[in-house]
Every structure is written in structure tokens, then in C-alpha cells.
Amino acid sequence: MHFNVADVPQQLVNGLTLGGMYALIALGYTLVYGILLMINFAHSEMFMGGAYFGLLWLNILSKQSFFTGSAVGLVLLYAISILLAAIMTGVLGVLIERFAYRPLRHAPRLAPLISAIGVSLFLQNAVLLWVSSRSIPFPVKFPVYQYTLARDGSGSLAFTVLGASDKIVDKLGQGAHAIVQFSTLQIMIIVVTLILLFVLDTFISRTKLGKAMRATAQDRDTAGLMGVDINRIIAITFFIGPAMGGVAGIFSGMYYGNIKYNMGFIPGIKSFTAAVLGGIGNLRGAMLGGFVLGMAEALASGFISTAYKDVIAFVILILVLIFRPGGLLGESVVEKV
């Protein structure tokens, strides 16, 4: 263990990036649980599926010179690829709900749970057999710069921008050391994540469709008697959650540089932990839980050891279940979803 206060800002930036991805995935767990009181274990494969769909569209669109010849083209390349991947992942989620979960809606609660595990294994093995069993590189097609706040050789604060091959001592002189660095990629992930979370929160809390989702979450039968189309609301829920998870999968591929058929397993478990931490069934709780878990994991990696970063999620899950089973926001907010 090597605690240094000077490393805290860097770990917080890393935690914010990681937490954003956890929050996007956790939304899928909490939305489905809020509506159906069901834990969708196949949701981790939506994270994986989104990454593969994103890579597919990036490879297709990047063959057009329009998308790679200018900064505007690159922005459109990623915006369109992420949008199309999110839509395809959302449609996949709707199809899963229609054929694997809806027939079991009135069955004992264990039945859809087992069905979800089966869907998860099916999707993993489908990608393993039909795509590849190996890690596939996920390219980042725009230049990634490191924005660095540092102390130069004289000890004064300085801000500089580093390219992929630049070294801080070349820019600020011998003895210079970074206080905090954040890359173009991290900025993109954090900004897009915050925008998506804000849009989803506004959609749920302000729109007629969002009100119908909250009504269905509170009492499905009564909402149906009031004219809410329950099947439509559930289908929309299974579109939004996987779409968000798919975007997180693309960000994960860009951040870590590769994707694999089983890449959703660990992030899926951690995001489920984040949903429980925030109060499963609570939308803002899932967002909060994702960021708290990301921060905790980054701080543990930086100050204890990267070997313990996965342990942190499970320790937090156990502590939450023991001392606050309702989650951080599970009791203060009455409305689910």
C-alpha cells in the first residue's frame, strides 16, 4: 500500500471515467428490475453486443473518406456508429424480452432468472463461435492527446498538452512531474455519459412515456387498468437499458483497446453491484452507485493494488446488503424507475 495525496486527483479522473461506464450499464439492471422485479443477467451481454456492433459500424463507415478526412467527419463517424450500435443493441434487448422473458411473465420468479442465464450463455457462445474467440482490437481513429496539469522543474504549476509520443520532461524540463492527466478519450467518455444520463433522467421524469414507465413500475395491474399499454412500456424498457449498455461497451472497447466475447461478465457483475449500491429500481441511485463504485475501484487500484480492484466491488456489495439493503437512495426516493 502506497498512499500519496498527490495521486488522488488522477485516481478521481480515472474513477469518473470508469464510473460513467458502470452507471450506463447499471441503468439497464435497475430499469428492468423496477418494471418486472427481475434481475436480467443477460444484460452484461448487451454491453458486449454493443461493443461488437460499434466496431462493425466503425469499420464500415471509416471506409468512406468523408468520415476520416476532417474533424467534423470523425465526430460524425463516432456519433453515427454509437447511435446505430445503440439502436441494434436496443432491438436485440426487445427481441430477447419478446421471446425469452414474455412467455414466462406469469411463471414463478425463478423461471425468467434461469432464462436470463441461458440467454447470457447463448449470446456469449454465439459470438465465440460465429465471430472470434480471441480479443479483437478496437481502434480509436482520432488523435488522443493528454491534457496535463504538472509541476515543472522549478516546482511551478504548468499546463501542457502531450501527444502520443511526447514526454513531459521534453515539454517542461527535467524534474517535471504530472499531477493529473486526462485524455481526449476520457473527456469524450465522461461528457457523452453525463449527457446520456441527463437525457434519460429528463425522459423518465418529464415525459408522458416516462410517467407511464413509473406508473408501471409502481403497480403494473393498476397502470394497465388506467390505459397504459404494459407490453409496450416493457418493450421500451428493454430497448433503453440495452442501448445504454451497448454505448458503455463501445466506450470500454475504446478505453481498453480491445473487445472479447466474455468482456461483459466482470463489468456486468460490478454494474449490478452499482445498481444495488444506489438502490436497485431507482434510476438516480444506479447513476450514483456507478460513480461511487468507479471511484472506489480507482482509489483501490491506485493506493492498494490493481490486484484488489475486483475485490472492492464484492466487498461493497456485501457491506451494502448487510448494513443498507435498500441502497444509498433506496429509502429516500419512493418512486421506482
Side-chain angles (χ1 to χ4, degrees), residues 79-109:
I80 295 173
S81 297
I82 291 173
L83 179 63
L84 292 175
I87 292 172
M88 290 179 72
T89 313
V91 171
L92 178 62
V94 172
L95 291 175
I96 290 171
E97 187 278 327
R98 177 64 184 85
F99 295 106
Y101 301 153
R102 190 178 298 183
L104 302 173
R105 194 174 294 170
H106 301 292
R109 292 179 63 178

Side-chain angles (χ1 to χ4, degrees), residues 144-148 160-168 171 181:
V144 176
Y145 297 102
Q146 294 284 345
Y147 301 91
T148 306
T160 187
V161 181
L162 303 176
S165 58
D166 294 334
K167 295 181 179 178
I168 191 170
K171 288 272 187 176
Q181 288 184 311

Side-chain angles (χ1 to χ4, degrees), residues 137-158:
F138 198 107
V140 176
K141 298 184 180 296
F142 55 83
V144 176
Y145 297 102
Q146 294 284 345
Y147 301 91
T148 306
L149 181 64
R151 288 195 181 278
D152 60 19
S154 64
S156 301
L157 284 175

Side-chain angles (χ1 to χ4, degrees), residues 95-211:
L95 291 175
I96 290 171
E97 187 278 327
R98 177 64 184 85
F99 295 106
Y101 301 153
R102 190 178 298 183
L104 302 173
R105 194 174 294 170
H106 301 292
R109 292 179 63 178
L110 192 59
L113 197 67
I114 294 172
S115 181
I117 294 172
V119 170
S120 174
L121 292 173
F122 171 79
L123 292 175
Q124 271 197 38
N125 284 279
V127 174
L128 185 152
L129 293 172
W130 297 338
V131 182
S132 175
S133 61
R134 298 181 178 179
S135 295
I136 300 176
F138 198 107
V140 176
K141 298 184 180 296
F142 55 83
V144 176
Y145 297 102
Q146 294 284 345
Y147 301 91
T148 306
L149 181 64
R151 288 195 181 278
D152 60 19
S154 64
S156 301
L157 284 175
F159 183 80
T160 187
V161 181
L162 303 176
S165 58
D166 294 334
K167 295 181 179 178
I168 191 170
V169 292
D170 297 332
K171 288 272 187 176
L172 301 177
Q174 290 296 329
H177 61 277
I179 297 174
V180 59
Q181 288 184 311
F182 47 95
S183 67
T184 315
L185 186 56
Q186 286 178 303
I187 294 172
M188 172 190 166
I189 292 173
I190 293 170
V191 170
V192 175
T193 297
L194 292 177
I195 291 173
L196 288 176
L197 296 180
F198 175 76
V199 169
L200 180 60
D201 186 68
T202 304
F203 172 77
I204 296 295
S205 59
R206 301 287 178 84
T207 67
K208 189 176 180 181
L209 209 51
K211 290 177 182 176

Side-chain angles (χ1 to χ4, degrees), residues 236-295:
I236 291 172
T237 302
F238 271 88
F239 179 86
I240 294 174
M244 290 285 184
V247 174
I250 297 173
F251 287 163
S252 175
M254 295 171 68
Y255 193 59
Y256 295 110
N258 60 74
I259 58 176
K260 197 174 182 182
Y261 70 94
N262 60 355
M263 62 180 283
F265 180 66
I266 295 296
I269 291 177
K270 290 179 180 177
S271 300
F272 174 68
T273 302
V276 174
L277 174 63
I280 192 161
N282 185 299
L283 195 69
R284 293 177 181 175
M287 299 177 190
L288 176 65
F291 284 109
V292 170
L293 186 64
M295 294 284 186

Side-chain angles (χ1 to χ4, degrees), residues 14-61:
N14 296 339
L16 198 60
T17 309
L18 197 59
M21 289 190 274
Y22 288 154
L24 286 176
I25 308 170
L27 287 173
Y29 285 107
T30 212
L31 280 169
V32 171
Y33 186 85
I35 297 286
L36 293 176
L37 295 179
M38 168 195 164
I39 299 170
N40 180 18
F41 282 113
H43 186 62
S44 57
E45 270 44 73
M46 303 299 101
F47 171 80
M48 177 268 292
Y52 278 86
F53 288 139
L55 181 61
L56 172 69
W57 284 109
L58 272 177
N59 287 337
I60 292 174
L61 296 178

